[in-house]
Amino acid sequence: MKELLGTGVALVTPFNEDHSVDFEGLARLVNYQIDNGVNYLVVLGTTGEPATLTAKEKALVKETIIKENKGRLPLVLGIGGNNTMAVVEEIKTTDLTEFAAILSVSPYYNKPTQEGVYQHFKVISEASSKPIIIYNVPGRTGKNMEPSTVLRLANDFKNIVAVKEAAGDMVQAMRIIQHKPDDFMVISGDDMIALPMVLAGGAGVISVIGQGLPKDFSEMIQLGLQKNVDEAYKLHYKIMDSVDYIFEECNPSGIKALLQKQKICNSNVRLPLVKATEKLEQKIAKFIDNY
């Protein structure tokens, strides 16, 4: 899956003041990524607030991104959940023609055993006509997907092509990289350790900050893939504080505050999320002014 090498960004869903979807802002966001060297776009990942979008809104978000992208970058679609059969149903009833792959999160809230996680992805693999990126994010799901489970899935199912590894655990990432099949990709889901993961043998990142600082972030990952360590770390340290800021009060409130500062879209989110506080907005604004 060469098209999943490098920097993917998990796009936000911009909202107007009345909390309707801001499709003009979304179009601006897509073009901003394409113009600044991002490698692929992730549609309706967690950062896109799909949990609070209606089915009709999700369809319009997909349509807008496809239309604006005009086939320029590969697209990955988030289809995941904690009801296995509902995920299967969504995969089977969604037109996936325009998408290179599916990103599917490990089941949240139910807290299945490792065998349960394996069986969940087995059923999804068998239902999908597209390659699958499995997504481990224990901070959101309440359950870590162990390296042994990831490797078992990687070895057993040809269309499970990658893991988005967001446990924030460098050792865990290295254990997967150490034992993975040659063509299986380990993609960082943590902006702060994206570069170290790439240097350890990872394939890139699915980033949040990447959509706010796409040029430098994408370049950092490319330098990492080329093992140009010193130059890559210069960019890492230039960007680093912004990663702390955007996750300080929950995602995507922080990144939306940063995108508002850059006049790409405003910072509205939907409940139960709330906008970044004024204090955080000021920190982010100061960072961008000095950047």
Side-chain angles (χ1 to χ4, degrees), residues 94-109:
T94 300
D95 180 2
L96 297 171
T97 314
E98 299 287 343
F99 295 94
I102 288 165
L103 174 67
S104 199
V105 69
S106 177
Y108 42 82
Y109 193 78

Side-chain angles (χ1 to χ4, degrees), residues 188-194 205-210 217 243 246-247:
S188 175
D190 282 294
D191 287 338
M192 197 59 97
I193 59 171
V205 62
I206 292 175
S207 175
V208 177
I209 194 62
F217 197 89
V243 177
I246 64 162
F247 292 109

Side-chain angles (χ1 to χ4, degrees), residues 14-29:
F15 297 124
N16 296 305
E17 287 304 328
D18 65 356
H19 291 92
S20 61
V21 177
D22 171 13
F23 293 105
E24 284 176 21
L26 184 58
R28 265 195 307 278
L29 183 65

Side-chain angles (χ1 to χ4, degrees), residues 177-250:
I177 293 165
Q178 181 186 14
H179 296 294
K180 72 179 185 65
D182 287 344
D183 55 355
F184 185 78
M185 301 168 85
V186 179
I187 298 169
S188 175
D190 282 294
D191 287 338
M192 197 59 97
I193 59 171
L195 179 57
M197 270 176 72
V198 165
L199 293 170
V205 62
I206 292 175
S207 175
V208 177
I209 194 62
Q211 70 196 300
L213 305 169
K215 192 170 185 296
D216 280 354
F217 197 89
S218 301
E219 191 184 335
M220 175 188 82
I221 295 298
Q222 288 306 319
L223 289 166
L225 288 166
Q226 292 155 20
K227 301 295 183 265
N228 189 336
V229 180
D230 293 346
E231 292 303 309
Y233 266 112
K234 270 182 206 162
L235 287 170
H236 171 86
Y237 289 119
K238 183 182 174 187
I239 292 163
M240 191 166 150
D241 288 349
S242 69
V243 177
D244 282 333
Y245 298 155
I246 64 162
F247 292 109
E248 197 172 292
E249 291 179 6
C250 85

